[in-house]
Amino acid sequence: MKYSNKLPLIVEKDHKCQGLDDLSNPKFLMPRTFMISEVQMIVRRKLNIKKEQGLFMMVNDGKEMIKANESLEGVYDKYKDQDGFLYILYTQENIYG
């Protein structure tokens, strides 16, 4: 792998999610030392999501939610696709009603 300290991700909006935009570029190379919370922070910033809006990330075709305190490397090792990418779906839920 060209960047041995980075992991290739494709982060896309869940097809059921109506309230968020699509990322202009869904491909990322992120440090393997990142936590999922850091991935969420980057996605939040790129989408201009307000703090009262929840952002949830899922893997395994949206079947499993991943927690903010999980390591990116652990999630990658468990769920990466055969093509070498980790596919993450994002969706939202309004926390404050």
Side-chain angles (χ1 to χ4, degrees), residues 10-83:
I10 295 183
V11 182
E12 298 175 304
K13 181 176 73 172
D14 182 42
H15 70 279
K16 294 174 266 185
C17 178
Q18 303 293 318
L20 293 174
D21 293 328
D22 290 307
L23 289 168
S24 56
N25 182 2
K27 294 182 181 178
F28 294 90
L29 270 178
M30 294 197 182
R32 59 175 59 245
T33 57
F34 264 24
M35 301 300 286
I36 294 300
S37 60
E38 292 170 291
V39 176
Q40 285 178 312
M41 189 172 57
I42 289 168
V43 172
R44 244 178 208 291
R45 194 171 40 228
K46 289 192 173 287
L47 294 172
N48 289 318
I49 297 177
K50 298 175 189 156
K51 63 183 175 219
E52 61 270 6
Q53 292 176 300
L55 179 68
F56 300 95
M57 302 198 133
M58 301 170 291
V59 291
N60 198 9
D61 291 323
K63 296 180 184 112
E64 298 188 46
M65 195 165 301
I66 45 179
K67 298 182 183 97
N69 64 351
E70 290 186 75
S71 74
L72 178 58
E73 187 170 25
V75 172
Y76 179 84
D77 288 342
K78 189 172 181 183
Y79 295 106
K80 72 180 174 206
D81 195 74
Q82 292 175 349
D83 64 9

